[in-house]
Amino acid sequence: MDLARTEVTEATGEKARPLKERPLKGRSRGGAARLGLMAVPVAFFALFFAYPVTAIVSRGLHVDGAWRFGRITEVLGQSDIRHVLWFTTWQALASTALTLLVALPGAYVFARFDFPGKQVLRAVVTVPFVLPTVVVGTAFLALLGRGGLLDELWGVRLDTTVWAILLAHVFFNYAVVVRTVGGLWSQLDPRQEEAARMLGASRFRAWRTVTLPALGPAVAAAALMVFLFTFTSFGVVQILGGPAYSTLEVEIYRQTAQLLDLPTAAVLTIVQFAAVGLILAVHAWTVRRRESALKLVDASAVARRPRGAGQWTLLGLVMATVAVLILLPLGVLIQRSFDGPDGFGFAYYKELTSAEGGAFLVPPIEAVWNSLQYAIVATAIAVVIGGLAAAALTRRAGRLVRGFDALLMLPLGVSAVTVGFGFLITLDKPPLDLRSSWILVPLAQALVGVPFVVRTMLPVLRAVDGRLREAAAVLGASPLRAWREVDLPMVRRALLIAAGFAFAVSLGEFGATVFIARPDNPTLPVAVARLLGRAGDLNYGQAMALSTILMVVCAVSLLLLERIRTDRTTGEF
């Protein structure tokens, strides 16, 4: 510590003085400043996350003035609930394994190869991750479902089988592995593996003994995130699974919205909360391991053009995988949106301007404008809350900060259905009578956007040389001014990327919004789900048209992000 302060003194040109005489006022306020930065995010999560979730659970288990904890064993003892738990766990494990198998070659190609169109291809594989789960389910329904492409060509229909769900989950999470594993892989020094080969190791043995151990924490972190997203899957399973296949999230929705059985929903929420807490604890451990000392190099110095038939073949296989797994479902979705009753055209898009179908109180096209407005407000909230949280977490410290970091990730795994329904039953009295207010939707969307802001900005903030902050503090700058003049210029790009991710994720939030979006102000995902729930080719075509619009908006957002992205501003996404 004294050495660091001496370096700061030398850097500022200030004459060295005894420790007790040196201006450490800014440093002494560091702990208080961190607590101040944490105050707003903690208050936000306490009010709009912990309070609604706790209220739902307490209403389900607190009956007639007494806690009924025996209800937990009673619910978990039901055979249909055990089936839901088994299917939720089994499909998440299978989806994770299949995603790693398919995506790891892509991670290697993006990490080690430099080829024309790489930036565009990176954006293409990321588009599914920010697409609403409703759109993903709709795309695979158009490809694999009744009347879908495979059904028409070969009579293959997978709309009510687990294979459709697994493939949709791979489609959705491909980018998680490519970005998380590929991001670290691109910065590993290849000379270490080359040294092992010079000592006589085969290519596979050198990779297994040198590269794989270094990649282990990143692979584990990616696997845990994929497992988390698939364990809590809602929109995909809701559309593709049918009544025979339900995850915990789908069952919570059914028990809450259809059966009004709050005790059962509360028990399932507790089970999911416990599972998510365990997953996030293990994920935090793997992230700390990944941030441990590794010999990293500039990613641009590692990537090179493919050489030899083997590398070109691998690149071709990855591009073919992207074409079949990602572009084909999206292409079929677009094709279905133009395949009107009178042939190809804009018939379904034109019908979006009319409210005569009865599915909405307003023309479905208004959902586009509603979603954009909500997403912009949600993005602003997420950037403020997430930015403050990331600034507070910049300096690693103790269990308090680690617990705060875990709190920020909980909305990614805790039932969004529970949060949405909790909003309705808790935020209905002064001074927070928001049940009829438009702000309720952006607040729910911001909860999901904050973790992406934090995970995108935090690694970049931690990469800022701490001695620069020390120098600013020595010169008398307050923590706020030091952040504004030291950190902000260096993380501006990361901030823009974080805002872009928050916008795309907010645009597609469905689990909570399905409860709180008003009939006269539906969001795009809610409108798509409502149209798919109604019989008739017109409703189906309109759902495809709205899904295509939503997909295009998300794709444009990702392409813009790739233009400002650098290898130093990727964060964890």
Side-chain angles (χ1 to χ4, degrees):
M1 187 66 68
D2 291 338
L3 176 61
R5 287 177 181 148
T6 301
E7 292 173 347
V8 171
T9 303
E10 292 173 353
T12 59
E14 202 177 83
K15 182 180 179 181
R17 291 179 291 175
L19 181 62
K20 64 179 181 180
E21 297 179 5
R22 303 174 74 186
L24 299 179
K25 180 172 58 176
R27 183 172 180 81
S28 66
R29 295 182 304 199
R34 183 185 295 115
L35 291 176
L37 291 170
M38 290 170 57
V40 174
V42 167
F44 178 81
F45 273 78
L47 185 58
F48 298 113
F49 177 70
Y51 179 39
V53 172
T54 303
I56 286 289
V57 173
S58 63
R59 286 202 179 197
L61 298 181
H62 194 264
V63 183
D64 297 329
W67 290 97
R68 308 293 176 131
F69 292 108
R71 180 65 177 164
I72 297 178
T73 56
E74 180 183 337
V75 170
L76 296 181
Q78 299 174 13
S79 59
D80 57 336
I81 298 299
R82 289 201 303 270
H83 174 74
V84 169
L85 291 171
W86 164 246
F87 176 72
T88 300
T89 305
W90 181 89
Q91 64 83 25
L93 289 171
S95 297
T96 302
L98 191 59
T99 302
L100 289 175
L101 180 65
V102 173
L104 281 176
Y108 174 78
V109 164
F110 279 103
R112 296 301 197 194
F113 293 169
D114 185 21
F115 52 90
K118 179 178 178 180
Q119 191 178 56
V120 174
L121 191 63
R122 191 198 302 270
V124 168
V125 301
T126 310
V127 167
F129 180 68
V130 297
L131 281 179
T133 54
V134 171
V135 174
V136 175
T138 305
F140 276 83
L141 185 64
L143 178 64
L144 305 173
R146 185 183 304 276
L149 180 64
L150 296 187
D151 187 17
E152 289 183 353
L153 295 179
W154 298 295
V156 178
R157 186 165 65 245
L158 300 174
D159 56 320
T160 57
T161 69
V162 70
W163 273 109
I165 297 173
L166 296 181
L167 290 174
H169 283 161
V170 175
F171 167 92
F172 188 74
N173 293 292
Y174 186 89
V176 175
V177 177
V178 168
R179 283 187 174 263
T180 304
V181 179
L184 178 61
W185 210 336
S186 67
Q187 294 179 289
L188 292 180
D189 192 343
R191 291 174 297 183
Q192 298 179 11
E193 189 174 321
E194 292 170 0
R197 295 195 63 197
M198 291 181 62
L199 294 174
S202 64
R203 181 182 296 273
F204 176 73
R205 184 179 180 185
W207 179 82
R208 179 175 57 84
T209 57
V210 177
T211 303
L212 183 59
L215 286 177
V219 174
L224 285 167
M225 291 308 295
V226 173
F227 184 84
L228 174 65
F229 292 139
T230 53
F231 187 84
T232 59
S233 181
F234 178 53
V236 167
V237 180
Q238 178 80 351
I239 292 175
L240 295 174
Y245 300 98
S246 292
T247 56
L248 271 173
E249 186 82 350
V250 174
E251 187 64 20
I252 291 171
Y253 174 77
R254 191 175 77 91
Q255 295 289 341
T256 303
Q258 299 176 7
L259 303 181
L260 299 178
D261 187 351
L262 283 185
T264 299
V267 171
L268 296 181
T269 297
I270 292 173
V271 172
Q272 183 166 308
F273 187 85
V276 167
L278 178 62
I279 295 169
L280 291 179
V282 178
H283 177 265
W285 177 72
T286 60
V287 168
R288 287 197 297 272
R289 285 191 60 197
R290 189 176 55 178
E291 291 178 346
S292 60
L294 286 173
K295 188 174 182 180
L296 302 179
V297 297
D298 187 358
S300 60
V302 174
R304 62 178 184 270
R305 292 185 67 84
R307 292 179 296 185
Q311 291 188 354
W312 280 107
T313 300
L314 178 60
L315 176 60
L317 287 175
V318 169
M319 297 185 73
T321 300
V322 171
V324 173
L325 178 67
I326 296 176
L327 296 181
L328 180 60
L330 297 180
V332 173
L333 176 66
I334 296 172
Q335 180 265 333
R336 293 297 183 192
S337 72
F338 288 103
D339 191 7
D342 301 321
F344 273 77
F346 292 91
Y348 291 137
Y349 288 90
K350 292 178 181 177
E351 289 295 333
L352 295 177
T353 61
S354 172
E356 295 179 0
F360 304 95
L361 299 177
V362 296
I365 193 65
E366 290 195 13
V368 178
W369 178 238
N370 293 336
S371 290
L372 290 175
Q373 288 179 301
Y374 288 143
I376 290 172
V377 177
T379 300
I381 297 173
V383 167
V384 172
I385 301 298
L388 291 173
L393 292 169
T394 299
R395 294 179 179 177
R396 304 173 183 86
R399 295 182 179 179
L400 176 63
V401 173
R402 289 199 297 269
F404 176 58
D405 194 4
L407 169 69
L408 299 172
M409 292 291 289
L410 285 177
L412 290 181
V414 174
S415 171
V417 171
T418 301
V419 174
F421 193 63
F423 271 27
L424 292 181
I425 67 172
T426 56
L427 304 179
D428 61 343
K429 297 177 181 178
L432 285 174
D433 186 4
L434 302 177
R435 190 161 57 177
S436 59
S437 174
W438 64 271
I439 196 65
L440 209 58
V441 173
L443 287 172
Q445 294 173 341
L447 282 172
V448 183
V450 167
F452 289 92
V453 174
V454 174
R455 299 266 74 82
T456 302
M457 293 187 62
L458 186 56
V460 184
L461 282 170
R462 284 179 173 170
V464 177
D465 192 341
R467 291 175 298 180
L468 297 176
R469 301 188 189 98
E470 293 281 353
V474 166
L475 294 173
S478 66
L480 178 60
R481 185 178 179 185
W483 184 87
R484 186 177 69 247
E485 298 188 7
V486 175
D487 294 68
L488 183 58
M490 297 184 180
V491 302
R492 187 177 289 111
R493 286 195 174 191
L495 184 62
L496 291 174
I497 292 173
F501 268 113
F503 176 79
V505 170
S506 300
L507 199 66
E509 203 287 323
F510 175 64
T513 310
V514 71
F515 275 99
I516 57 182
R518 294 166 54 182
D520 57 339
N521 285 293
T523 64
L524 273 169
V526 172
V528 170
R530 193 175 301 173
L531 287 168
L532 287 175
R534 296 172 64 90
D537 292 339
L538 177 59
N539 290 315
Y540 178 81
Q542 287 179 303
M544 296 295 166
L546 280 179
S547 297
T548 300
I549 292 172
L550 188 49
M551 180 192 70
V552 169
V553 173
C554 290
V556 170
S557 301
L558 260 295
L559 288 172
L560 291 176
L561 290 184
E562 284 300 320
R563 291 184 64 85
I564 63 174
R565 175 189 177 276
T566 69
D567 290 324
R568 296 180 182 274
T569 59
T570 57
E572 292 186 32
F573 295 100

